[in-house]
Amino acid sequence: MKCTIVSAVIALCSFSPATPALADTLVDAIYSAVSNSEARNAAIAGIQAQGRMINVAQGDKRAQVNVFGSAAAEWVEDPTLTPADNRSTKFARIIGVDVSVNLLDGMRTMNRIYREATLLDAEIIRLSDATETLALNAVQAYIDVIRHRNIVQASRRNVARHAEISRQVVSQVDAGKLSDADRFRANDKLLAAQLALADAEAQLGDANSQFELIIGKAPTTTMSRQFHTHPPASREAVETAAVTNSFQMQLAANEIQAQTYQGAMDEADWKPKIDAFIGADIGANQEGATGTDSTVAAGVRLNWTLYKGNTREATRARNRDLVIRGHYRKKQIENEVRDFARRAWNAYHSARERKLLLDRSVSTNELIVDAFRQEFEAAKRPLLQVLDAERALFNLRIRQINASAAYYYQGYRVLAAQSKLSEHFGLTKEGRVLNADFETRVKANPMGGFNISAPALD
């Protein structure tokens, strides 16, 4: 069941007529967009693939069993052999098994496990970031369809009004109260209104296509025109939340951590490695001697690289530079996140101010048009002024519709700037499996098993 959105309901004025009881809501569209997203499915597959890498890394801490064998024709010259065996070709063969366990490797295996878990967290964060972007795109597509539907409705009303005026003009021309020029002027304005309607319908078709591309299905006739958002507290609060919650900054920090583990893995190449082993083999005609022999051995093996040119210092310097680069990237992303949050805040308040002003302007111009129409019918106002007033009112209504759409969209954009849009629509779950905390969980239980299945959307 979808999470109920608890939010402040914004009055929708001309942008939102009464909502049908069974309307397809914006929340429905968001869930459909996420459910039908091939990008999300690909991201989940990437998460599962990276999750398998933890199991691969854990294998380095578990016992390794090797079966070996060979068969070859051998000619051996060895004075210690019997004259019958020395300098004679024999068919030598051997088969055996070797079991080894890593006892000490300079923490290379553990750091590899931690690194793979960190990279898994990065894949989950990318999925969350992509979901946030997808939700905002779906919001824009949904609001855009409503916006263009409102423009089409306003254009149709405009055509109907000009058709009514044209009929009044024809009647007055026939009565000799107006000239033919007035009739031509009224017809010209009617044609202009019809052209505006044709353009509006074409743009609505494009908006419908974009909606279907993003949401995964065509828009219905019962789309809700009510939108809900949280009025932001202050620009400073938005900016702080944006930095704190930023998925991009989490990815940058994750990259630094993964590189730190990689540096520890590289450093382990210069530390002693000790394996415990036990093995057994059986062979025939080994080392030129006729007969069968078998061997059983158990012990430890040491491998320690003491020198390999200047690669150790070069590797350290490279890893250090990569960590420094990661910190610079994180700072750069922080600046970009702050800038986006500030611009989202500014756009929201600008859109709100425009909407309020245009609401008042439309109300004023509606009164003007009504007065002009009455004066025209009483032959106290010329036709040209009535037509100009109608055109001005229509243009203001279109601007009002656009401003209202921008206002609601910018409200959601402010949420997206704070990485709160998915949460707002109930797309996150407390305690769900796919939280980006696998690094912590793996450190607590490095050899444990972990569920990396993405939860289905309810």
Side-chain angles (χ1 to χ4, degrees), residues 29 81 114 184 190 200 243 245 337 354 423 428 456:
L81 295 174
Y114 300 156
F184 298 148
L190 175 59
V243 173
N245 301 330
V337 168
R354 284 178 54 83
E423 178 183 354
T428 57

Side-chain angles (χ1 to χ4, degrees), residues 269-273 302-309 311-312:
D269 290 343
W270 284 273
K271 294 180 179 179
K273 304 172 185 63
L302 170 67
N303 184 8
W304 192 354
T305 300
L306 298 177
Y307 180 75
K308 193 166 62 174
T311 55
R312 184 176 189 179

Side-chain angles (χ1 to χ4, degrees), residues 95-398:
I95 188 169
V97 62
D98 179 274
V99 180
S100 62
V101 178
N102 179 357
L103 298 180
L104 182 69
D105 65 354
M107 290 293 291
R108 178 183 180 86
T109 299
M110 297 306 297
N111 280 298
R112 183 187 176 193
I113 294 174
Y114 300 156
R115 178 178 178 272
E116 299 300 343
T118 302
L119 294 177
L120 174 58
D121 287 342
E123 293 295 331
I124 296 171
I125 294 169
R126 288 190 183 94
L127 173 60
S128 298
D129 188 44
T131 302
E132 197 79 2
T133 300
L134 180 60
L136 185 60
N137 290 340
V139 166
Q140 184 176 26
Y142 191 99
I143 290 179
D144 215 33
V145 169
I146 300 298
R147 177 172 72 91
H148 284 290
R149 285 183 178 180
N150 288 338
I151 291 175
V152 167
Q153 290 175 1
S155 298
R156 287 173 178 166
R157 288 195 300 267
N158 188 49
V159 168
R161 178 63 195 132
H162 277 82
E164 180 185 352
I165 292 174
S166 182
R167 287 192 296 270
Q168 290 176 342
V169 169
V170 170
S171 176
Q172 294 195 29
V173 168
D174 292 342
K177 297 179 180 180
L178 295 176
S179 66
D180 286 337
D182 290 323
R183 180 176 59 191
F184 298 148
R185 186 176 292 112
N187 287 337
D188 179 64
K189 297 301 181 182
L190 175 59
L191 290 173
Q194 292 170 336
L195 179 60
L197 173 60
D199 291 341
E201 290 174 337
Q203 292 172 6
L204 174 59
D206 291 342
N208 289 339
S209 296
Q210 184 70 10
F211 181 98
E212 187 169 0
L213 174 66
I214 294 174
I215 308 302
K217 62 180 182 179
T220 67
T221 58
T222 58
M223 289 173 62
S224 171
R225 302 192 183 194
Q226 289 188 354
F227 301 98
H228 311 268
T229 188
H230 297 279
S234 65
R235 194 183 80 168
E236 292 73 18
V238 170
E239 187 175 336
T240 299
V243 173
T244 301
N245 301 330
S246 170
F247 293 120
Q248 290 299 317
M249 288 195 63
Q250 292 177 42
L251 282 173
N254 185 279
E255 180 181 346
I256 294 171
Q257 188 64 22
Q259 185 57 49
T260 301
Y261 289 133
Q262 181 62 55
M265 290 169 57
D266 294 339
E267 190 66 24
D269 290 343
W270 284 273
K271 294 180 179 179
K273 304 172 185 63
I274 299 177
D275 294 340
F277 73 92
I278 182 171
D281 63 68
I282 182 170
N285 301 333
Q286 295 297 298
E287 298 180 353
T290 302
T292 301
D293 61 81
S294 59
T295 303
V296 177
V300 294
R301 286 188 289 254
L302 170 67
N303 184 8
W304 192 354
T305 300
L306 298 177
Y307 180 75
K308 193 166 62 174
N310 67 341
T311 55
R312 184 176 189 179
E313 290 305 317
T315 302
R316 283 177 171 174
R318 181 204 63 185
N319 289 326
R320 184 170 59 250
D321 291 341
L322 290 175
V323 169
I324 291 173
R325 182 186 69 175
H327 283 288
Y328 279 123
R329 281 183 175 176
K330 184 180 177 183
K331 184 60 179 177
Q332 177 187 359
I333 291 171
E334 179 181 347
N335 293 336
E336 292 172 352
V337 168
R338 289 184 183 278
D339 177 66
F340 180 74
R342 288 191 293 263
R343 287 187 290 110
W345 167 268
N346 294 336
Y348 171 79
H349 278 271
S350 175
R352 184 178 66 174
E353 187 68 18
R354 284 178 54 83
K355 179 182 180 301
L356 292 174
L357 292 173
L358 283 166
D359 287 345
R360 290 161 58 185
S361 183
V362 167
S363 297
T364 300
N365 275 264
E366 285 175 344
L367 296 175
I368 293 173
V369 168
D370 287 342
F372 277 24
R373 286 171 57 186
Q374 293 174 11
E375 293 175 359
F376 170 70
E377 291 170 359
K380 296 180 180 179
R381 178 73 57 177
L383 174 63
L384 182 59
Q385 291 185 7
V386 175
L387 294 174
D388 287 343
E390 288 283 357
R391 183 183 69 249
L393 177 58
F394 172 71
N395 290 339
L396 281 171
R397 281 174 173 163
I398 299 303

